[in-house]
Amino acid sequence: MRSPQKQSGFTLIEILVASALFVIVMAMGFVSLKQSIRGAERLEEASGEFASIQRAVQTMVRDLSQIQPRSVRDLIGSDRIPALMTGAEGGGIEMTTGGWTNPASLKRSVLQRIGYQVDENTLYRVQWPVLDRTQGTVPTRRPLLEGVLAMRMRFFDSQGNDTEDWPPLSGGGSGGGTGLALRPRAVEFTLELEDFGVISRLVEVAQ
């Protein structure tokens, strides 16, 4: 008489154990995937912020390197404003720069009057449509960079003397003009950023 064959298969306990292990493995994989996604998002956000810093710094370097010895009339037209001056509106800097491209060949100067100021932790670039503005002239105020705690400027003349105010009280210059048309030999700007610390650049002014 032949003995009955044993049936192969999983017991209920084995199935429960396998199911529990599967759930644990899936949960671990989900946590790892979630962490990877968060890490990628943080990296993308940091890359975007770094690119914004680079663009802002490049813009400031371009403007500062092209400071021109051209003073402008004040709002009333009875006085002159220096080609470069600190303590401008908003506690920033204001200057006349060159290199304003004119691809449409409009009847305007290649010089422009621009400024930089920090307001509510945002760095702004201010641009006036004309050099000699009036009370009705409305500037364009474009945000360049957020998270800026402070902006500091330092100016160097041809003798290597430095000052935080321009025009300098001593009246020294760099050969780039006299009086209201004085230009520094170099400008160092420092940006104190909320997430990236302190960034400084020394810019030589083209003479």
Side-chain angles (χ1 to χ4, degrees), residues 103-177:
S105 299
L106 301 176
K107 292 183 178 181
R108 63 164 174 80
S109 172
V110 295
L111 303 181
Q112 60 180 332
R113 191 70 177 179
I114 63 102
Y116 285 95
Q117 55 187 230
V118 176
D119 185 16
E120 295 184 351
N121 293 348
T122 299
L123 174 65
Y124 289 91
R125 183 181 188 268
V126 185
Q127 178 179 341
W128 286 266
V130 294
L131 291 174
D132 298 312
R133 56 188 183 265
T134 64
Q135 291 181 338
T137 305
V138 179
T140 301
R141 192 167 181 255
R142 179 168 63 95
L144 278 186
L145 185 63
E146 297 181 351
V148 180
L149 302 179
M151 176 182 68
R152 293 182 290 274
M153 295 283 181
R154 186 171 294 276
F155 308 93
F156 299 85
D157 62 19
S158 57
Q159 286 75 42
N161 302 315
D162 65 288
T163 177
E164 295 181 355
D165 300 310
W166 199 271
L169 299 178
S170 61
S174 61

Side-chain angles (χ1 to χ4, degrees), residues 15-86:
I15 294 176
L16 292 175
V17 171
S19 299
L21 291 175
F22 177 77
V23 170
I24 293 173
V25 172
M26 289 297 294
M28 293 175 62
F30 176 76
V31 171
S32 177
L33 177 61
K34 192 173 182 180
Q35 290 177 343
S36 299
I37 293 175
R38 287 180 177 176
E41 290 175 346
R42 286 195 294 267
L43 180 61
E44 183 178 358
E45 182 179 354
S47 299
E49 292 177 356
F50 186 68
S52 297
I53 294 173
Q54 284 185 316
R55 286 193 296 268
V57 169
Q58 289 172 357
T59 300
M60 294 187 69
V61 169
R62 182 194 64 210
D63 287 338
L64 291 169
S65 66
Q66 299 184 85
I67 297 173
Q68 299 298 312
R70 207 286 199 177
S71 61
V72 298
R73 291 198 305 266
D74 63 4
L75 297 180
I76 302 176
S78 61
D79 205 352
R80 305 291 296 183
I81 299 176
L84 168 65
M85 60 175 290
T86 54

